[in-house]
Amino acid sequence: MRKVFGAIIALYGGCCGIHAYAMDLSLNDAVQKIVAESHDLKKADANVKKAQASLDVANSSRWFNIEGTATYMNLINVEKPLDSYNVKLPPEIGGLIPQMAGITDIDIPDNIFMAGVKITQPIYTFGKIGNAVDSVRSAIKMSEYSKEMVTREVKYAAADMYWTAKMTDEIVKIAQKDLDNAMSARKKLSGAGRANRSNLVKIESDIATKKINLSDAEFNRDTSHRMLKILAGIDVDEPLNLTDEFPKDFPEMENKKLTNTPEWQVLDQQVKMYEAKASSQRAGGYPTLAAVGAYDFVTMDKDLKNMFNGHADQAAYWGLALKVPIFSGGVNRANATVDAMNAEAAHQDLDKSKKITSEKYSNAIKQYNHLRENLKGLENARDLAAKAYGFSRDRFAAGQTSAVELADVSSGLYQLDMALLNAKYKILMSAESVKKLGE
């Protein structure tokens, strides 16, 4: 019995196009899923991490630098390669030094090993390092604000995709109702006995046209749902039930002034970045003061095996070093000029963006309120068209009007249903534009 009952339910659901196990998807859920799947946002997040890593690189110039070296050398007597390296001393030199009296030659050890370590700590660079670090900090903020811009764009696109898919659902319903009205008219005409042939031909023509409209609407719905599922990371074979409905009422939006937006913040940080880079480039022509220290170890012997048991010397020092650039061909000044001009260009872009984006924000609010006001008149016109269709349908059933008049009234109702749906979609997307620009 359960199997039979289940088969009946499955058959009923299949015949009527009802997805008993369709996935419910709200606007918020769709936006969250599309944001999580967005490749553009993943790239923006990678750019933020890359900028943060660049800060570590810039900060590394602040800290001490340790360099270690180890060198092994084997001296070769060029004249006699198989003999040890021997230096002949003039007799007068040996006579000058009591310890070397009578010595005419010296054997130099063939094997020499040297190892050392050097430490350098910058103390003052006239802003070369500090400004470089500041420029990278501005670059990090730029990447963060750029990510916010991408996030808003993705959310706007997600809302657009959701309401587009929802609109295709409603268009299917409108097309189906329009077809049902035409088929109902044909049924009434056929049941009236002898029907006017021209009326029959007109109704059959309307039915054929409205079937095509319904088929196109279903195709567009399936395509829109498929794209929504792809962007949201949902299985394309998963049926969807879009739970959010088009609002019946839209509150009035206050016409306020745009005070800030991520695009302005990106350009503002770009100006600061180039200004800091220009200062760092100028400082490249100034002296650098650093603390230095070093330790060296040297050992040598004629026998490689006994080298570390032979003669060894150690040396160490510490002090201050002043590095003064004398001539570099003007490269620092040229690079500073390039960055300064980049800062000026970014500043001009910021001024332009403030004017244009403010106007876009104001226009989006005006468009929202304008469409909202027009919606009332459109709804009234649609209600009147529905009443007109009811009157015409009743007159047609009574044989008091032709199929041509009924088709014209039905077409007017269909067009107003579509216009009303499109107006609601435009109002919603105007609100999303306001949110994208100045949320």
Side-chain angles (χ1 to χ4, degrees):
M1 184 64 181
R2 290 182 179 178
K3 292 182 179 179
V4 174
F5 185 72
I8 293 173
I9 293 177
L11 180 61
Y12 179 80
C15 293
C16 300
I18 299 174
H19 297 292
Y21 301 102
M23 175 182 177
D24 289 340
L25 187 68
S26 67
L27 173 63
N28 288 335
D29 291 339
V31 170
Q32 290 177 6
K33 288 180 179 294
I34 291 175
V35 166
E37 292 290 325
S38 173
H39 295 287
D40 291 334
L41 264 178
K42 292 176 182 178
K43 287 169 59 178
D45 186 61
N47 288 334
V48 172
K49 293 178 180 177
K50 181 174 69 174
Q52 291 171 343
S54 298
L55 180 61
D56 294 335
V57 174
N59 272 323
S60 65
S61 300
R62 293 180 181 272
W63 316 122
F64 57 85
N65 181 38
I66 302 177
E67 294 181 352
T69 59
T71 305
Y72 166 76
M73 295 185 296
N74 180 263
L75 302 182
I76 299 175
N77 189 337
V78 178
E79 296 179 357
K80 298 179 180 180
L82 298 180
D83 294 343
S84 61
Y85 202 95
N86 187 274
V87 178
K88 298 293 184 180
L89 294 179
E92 58 270 18
I93 294 180
L96 293 174
I97 303 174
Q99 291 85 347
M100 299 180 62
I103 299 176
T104 60
D105 58 353
I106 299 177
D107 287 333
I108 298 178
D110 296 347
N111 302 288
I112 302 175
F113 176 79
M114 298 180 294
V117 61
K118 183 178 180 180
I119 301 176
T120 305
Q121 170 63 57
I123 296 177
Y124 190 69
T125 62
F126 292 89
K128 180 168 59 178
I129 296 177
N131 285 306
V133 171
D134 289 341
S135 70
V136 176
R137 287 199 177 105
S138 295
I140 293 175
K141 291 181 180 179
M142 282 176 57
S143 64
E144 292 172 345
Y145 291 134
S146 296
K147 181 181 176 182
E148 175 62 21
M149 288 177 60
V150 174
T151 301
R152 294 189 181 191
E153 289 287 349
V154 172
K155 287 183 177 180
Y156 177 86
D160 189 11
M161 181 59 64
Y162 185 90
W163 289 120
T164 300
K166 187 64 178 180
M167 187 164 62
T168 59
D169 287 348
E170 298 299 320
I171 291 174
V172 170
K173 294 178 183 178
I174 294 173
Q176 182 66 61
K177 183 179 179 181
D178 193 39
L179 176 61
D180 291 342
N181 288 338
M183 296 185 72
S184 175
R186 182 179 65 178
K187 184 177 180 181
K188 290 178 180 179
L189 186 62
S190 299
R194 293 186 62 183
N196 186 296
R197 179 175 293 182
S198 64
N199 284 340
L200 283 174
V201 172
K202 177 59 179 174
I203 289 178
E204 291 297 336
S205 175
D206 285 345
I207 290 175
T209 301
K210 292 175 181 182
K211 283 183 177 179
I212 294 175
N213 292 339
L214 177 59
S215 177
D216 289 343
E218 289 174 340
F219 176 80
N220 292 334
R221 177 199 60 193
D222 295 341
T223 302
S224 182
H225 277 231
R226 183 179 180 87
M227 183 58 67
L228 177 60
K229 286 183 281 189
I230 290 173
L231 293 178
I234 301 172
D235 189 344
V236 293
D237 295 325
E238 180 82 20
L240 289 182
N241 177 32
L242 306 182
T243 58
D244 282 34
E245 301 291 343
F246 281 95
K248 295 181 179 179
D249 298 317
F250 296 89
E252 185 176 3
M253 188 177 295
E254 181 183 356
N255 194 1
K256 52 188 177 180
K257 185 178 180 181
L258 182 62
T259 57
N260 206 349
T261 186
E263 182 179 351
W264 298 355
Q265 293 168 328
V266 168
L267 293 172
D268 180 61
Q269 292 300 324
Q270 189 176 35
V271 171
K272 293 179 180 178
M273 180 189 72
Y274 282 126
E275 289 177 344
K277 288 180 67 177
S279 298
S280 179
Q281 291 290 348
R282 293 189 193 97
Y286 303 150
T288 297
L289 181 64
V292 295
Y295 168 80
D296 294 303
F297 171 82
V298 181
T299 182
M300 58 185 69
D301 198 88
K302 294 178 65 176
D303 188 356
L304 179 62
K305 295 181 180 179
N306 297 323
M307 184 171 61
F308 288 96
N309 296 324
H311 178 74
D313 285 324
Q314 299 183 70
Y317 70 87
W318 71 271
L320 295 175
L322 185 65
K323 181 180 178 181
V324 181
I326 297 176
F327 181 74
S328 61
V331 64
N332 293 316
R333 180 176 298 177
N335 287 332
T337 302
V338 170
D339 289 324
M341 293 304 99
N342 286 333
E344 177 61 24
H347 186 74
Q348 295 300 324
D349 290 339
L350 176 59
D351 290 342
K352 180 181 178 181
S353 177
K354 286 183 177 181
K355 296 176 183 178
I356 294 178
T357 308
S358 295
E359 185 63 20
K360 287 182 179 179
Y361 182 75
S362 178
N363 286 339
I365 295 176
K366 291 177 181 177
Q367 183 183 33
Y368 173 89
N369 290 327
H370 171 73
L371 293 172
R372 174 180 171 273
E373 289 298 324
N374 285 349
L375 184 65
K376 297 177 182 178
L378 196 58
E379 288 174 337
N380 185 49
R382 191 270 170 196
D383 292 340
L384 292 175
K387 289 181 180 180
Y389 174 77
F391 294 148
S392 182
R393 180 187 57 199
D394 294 341
R395 291 175 60 203
F396 179 78
Q400 298 175 354
T401 188
S402 67
V404 174
E405 179 187 336
L406 181 63
D408 289 341
V409 176
S410 176
S411 176
L413 177 59
Y414 177 80
Q415 291 174 4
L416 282 171
D417 280 332
M418 296 290 287
L420 184 61
L421 182 62
N422 189 53
K424 290 183 177 181
Y425 164 78
K426 287 183 176 179
I427 294 173
L428 288 170
M429 294 317 299
S430 294
E432 292 294 334
S433 296
V434 175
K435 188 185 300 183
K436 180 182 69 172
L437 291 172
E439 185 181 26

PDB file of all heavy atoms in Angstrom, residues 219-230:
ATOM      1  N   PHE A 219      12.293  27.866 -20.744  1.00  0.00           N
ATOM      2  CA  PHE A 219      13.709  27.750 -21.120  1.00  0.00           C
ATOM      3  C   PHE A 219      14.543  28.805 -20.381  1.00  0.00           C
ATOM      4  O   PHE A 219      15.621  28.506 -19.844  1.00  0.00           O
ATOM      5  CB  PHE A 219      13.860  27.907 -22.627  1.00  0.00           C
ATOM      6  CG  PHE A 219      15.286  27.906 -23.091  1.00  0.00           C
ATOM      7  CD1 PHE A 219      15.989  26.719 -23.249  1.00  0.00           C
ATOM      8  CD2 PHE A 219      15.946  29.101 -23.354  1.00  0.00           C
ATOM      9  CE1 PHE A 219      17.313  26.726 -23.663  1.00  0.00           C
ATOM     10  CE2 PHE A 219      17.263  29.113 -23.775  1.00  0.00           C
ATOM     11  CZ  PHE A 219      17.954  27.922 -23.930  1.00  0.00           C
ATOM     12  N   ASN A 220      14.062  30.037 -20.368  1.00  0.00           N
ATOM     13  CA  ASN A 220      14.783  31.109 -19.671  1.00  0.00           C
ATOM     14  C   ASN A 220      14.872  30.833 -18.173  1.00  0.00           C
ATOM     15  O   ASN A 220      15.891  31.129 -17.539  1.00  0.00           O
ATOM     16  CB  ASN A 220      14.086  32.447 -19.912  1.00  0.00           C
ATOM     17  CG  ASN A 220      14.198  32.896 -21.356  1.00  0.00           C
ATOM     18  OD1 ASN A 220      15.138  32.527 -22.062  1.00  0.00           O
ATOM     19  ND2 ASN A 220      13.235  33.678 -21.814  1.00  0.00           N
ATOM     20  N   ARG A 221      13.798  30.283 -17.600  1.00  0.00           N
ATOM     21  CA  ARG A 221      13.830  29.938 -16.175  1.00  0.00           C
ATOM     22  C   ARG A 221      14.888  28.878 -15.898  1.00  0.00           C
ATOM     23  O   ARG A 221      15.695  29.002 -14.960  1.00  0.00           O
ATOM     24  CB  ARG A 221      12.460  29.424 -15.741  1.00  0.00           C
ATOM     25  CG  ARG A 221      12.395  28.950 -14.284  1.00  0.00           C
ATOM     26  CD  ARG A 221      11.197  28.054 -14.048  1.00  0.00           C
ATOM     27  NE  ARG A 221      11.270  26.862 -14.897  1.00  0.00           N
ATOM     28  CZ  ARG A 221      10.250  26.027 -15.090  1.00  0.00           C
ATOM     29  NH1 ARG A 221       9.080  26.257 -14.501  1.00  0.00           N
ATOM     30  NH2 ARG A 221      10.395  24.970 -15.870  1.00  0.00           N
ATOM     31  N   ASP A 222      14.920  27.828 -16.694  1.00  0.00           N
ATOM     32  CA  ASP A 222      15.891  26.753 -16.478  1.00  0.00           C
ATOM     33  C   ASP A 222      17.321  27.263 -16.648  1.00  0.00           C
ATOM     34  O   ASP A 222      18.222  26.894 -15.885  1.00  0.00           O
ATOM     35  CB  ASP A 222      15.627  25.605 -17.453  1.00  0.00           C
ATOM     36  CG  ASP A 222      14.288  24.925 -17.206  1.00  0.00           C
ATOM     37  OD1 ASP A 222      13.744  25.089 -16.092  1.00  0.00           O
ATOM     38  OD2 ASP A 222      13.781  24.240 -18.122  1.00  0.00           O
ATOM     39  N   THR A 223      17.527  28.129 -17.649  1.00  0.00           N
ATOM     40  CA  THR A 223      18.867  28.688 -17.867  1.00  0.00           C
ATOM     41  C   THR A 223      19.292  29.560 -16.697  1.00  0.00           C
ATOM     42  O   THR A 223      20.438  29.484 -16.226  1.00  0.00           O
ATOM     43  CB  THR A 223      18.880  29.515 -19.169  1.00  0.00           C
ATOM     44  OG1 THR A 223      18.495  28.689 -20.260  1.00  0.00           O
ATOM     45  CG2 THR A 223      20.265  30.084 -19.430  1.00  0.00           C
ATOM     46  N   SER A 224      18.379  30.405 -16.219  1.00  0.00           N
ATOM     47  CA  SER A 224      18.688  31.297 -15.101  1.00  0.00           C
ATOM     48  C   SER A 224      18.962  30.508 -13.828  1.00  0.00           C
ATOM     49  O   SER A 224      19.911  30.812 -13.084  1.00  0.00           O
ATOM     50  CB  SER A 224      17.530  32.267 -14.893  1.00  0.00           C
ATOM     51  OG  SER A 224      17.812  33.163 -13.850  1.00  0.00           O
ATOM     52  N   HIS A 225      18.173  29.493 -13.556  1.00  0.00           N
ATOM     53  CA  HIS A 225      18.393  28.660 -12.369  1.00  0.00           C
ATOM     54  C   HIS A 225      19.733  27.935 -12.456  1.00  0.00           C
ATOM     55  O   HIS A 225      20.436  27.796 -11.443  1.00  0.00           O
ATOM     56  CB  HIS A 225      17.260  27.640 -12.234  1.00  0.00           C
ATOM     57  CG  HIS A 225      16.039  28.189 -11.564  1.00  0.00           C
ATOM     58  ND1 HIS A 225      15.410  27.569 -10.509  1.00  0.00           N
ATOM     59  CD2 HIS A 225      15.343  29.324 -11.776  1.00  0.00           C
ATOM     60  CE1 HIS A 225      14.370  28.283 -10.114  1.00  0.00           C
ATOM     61  NE2 HIS A 225      14.312  29.354 -10.877  1.00  0.00           N
ATOM     62  N   ARG A 226      20.053  27.465 -13.650  1.00  0.00           N
ATOM     63  CA  ARG A 226      21.321  26.749 -13.818  1.00  0.00           C
ATOM     64  C   ARG A 226      22.517  27.669 -13.524  1.00  0.00           C
ATOM     65  O   ARG A 226      23.459  27.277 -12.830  1.00  0.00           O
ATOM     66  CB  ARG A 226      21.410  26.204 -15.242  1.00  0.00           C
ATOM     67  CG  ARG A 226      22.661  25.363 -15.507  1.00  0.00           C
ATOM     68  CD  ARG A 226      22.663  24.843 -16.941  1.00  0.00           C
ATOM     69  NE  ARG A 226      23.853  24.052 -17.206  1.00  0.00           N
ATOM     70  CZ  ARG A 226      23.962  22.762 -16.970  1.00  0.00           C
ATOM     71  NH1 ARG A 226      22.935  22.107 -16.434  1.00  0.00           N
ATOM     72  NH2 ARG A 226      25.079  22.122 -17.249  1.00  0.00           N
ATOM     73  N   MET A 227      22.470  28.882 -14.050  1.00  0.00           N
ATOM     74  CA  MET A 227      23.554  29.827 -13.794  1.00  0.00           C
ATOM     75  C   MET A 227      23.637  30.177 -12.312  1.00  0.00           C
ATOM     76  O   MET A 227      24.739  30.278 -11.746  1.00  0.00           O
ATOM     77  CB  MET A 227      23.350  31.090 -14.628  1.00  0.00           C
ATOM     78  CG  MET A 227      24.478  32.107 -14.479  1.00  0.00           C
ATOM     79  SD  MET A 227      26.108  31.428 -14.928  1.00  0.00           S
ATOM     80  CE  MET A 227      25.859  31.173 -16.693  1.00  0.00           C
ATOM     81  N   LEU A 228      22.498  30.346 -11.661  1.00  0.00           N
ATOM     82  CA  LEU A 228      22.485  30.633 -10.228  1.00  0.00           C
ATOM     83  C   LEU A 228      23.122  29.500  -9.440  1.00  0.00           C
ATOM     84  O   LEU A 228      23.915  29.728  -8.516  1.00  0.00           O
ATOM     85  CB  LEU A 228      21.049  30.871  -9.759  1.00  0.00           C
ATOM     86  CG  LEU A 228      20.841  31.114  -8.257  1.00  0.00           C
ATOM     87  CD1 LEU A 228      21.606  32.349  -7.791  1.00  0.00           C
ATOM     88  CD2 LEU A 228      19.359  31.261  -7.942  1.00  0.00           C
ATOM     89  N   LYS A 229      22.815  28.277  -9.808  1.00  0.00           N
ATOM     90  CA  LYS A 229      23.374  27.120  -9.099  1.00  0.00           C
ATOM     91  C   LYS A 229      24.880  27.003  -9.329  1.00  0.00           C
ATOM     92  O   LYS A 229      25.629  26.639  -8.411  1.00  0.00           O
ATOM     93  CB  LYS A 229      22.653  25.843  -9.546  1.00  0.00           C
ATOM     94  CG  LYS A 229      21.242  25.720  -8.981  1.00  0.00           C
ATOM     95  CD  LYS A 229      20.566  24.425  -9.370  1.00  0.00           C
ATOM     96  CE  LYS A 229      20.026  24.481 -10.780  1.00  0.00           C
ATOM     97  NZ  LYS A 229      19.170  23.300 -11.093  1.00  0.00           N
ATOM     98  N   ILE A 230      25.327  27.304 -10.537  1.00  0.00           N
ATOM     99  CA  ILE A 230      26.766  27.240 -10.825  1.00  0.00           C
ATOM    100  C   ILE A 230      27.527  28.254  -9.974  1.00  0.00           C
ATOM    101  O   ILE A 230      28.550  27.932  -9.354  1.00  0.00           O
ATOM    102  CB  ILE A 230      27.020  27.484 -12.325  1.00  0.00           C
ATOM    103  CG1 ILE A 230      26.518  26.294 -13.145  1.00  0.00           C
ATOM    104  CG2 ILE A 230      28.509  27.711 -12.590  1.00  0.00           C
ATOM    105  CD1 ILE A 230      26.581  26.516 -14.647  1.00  0.00           C
TER     106      ILE A 230
END
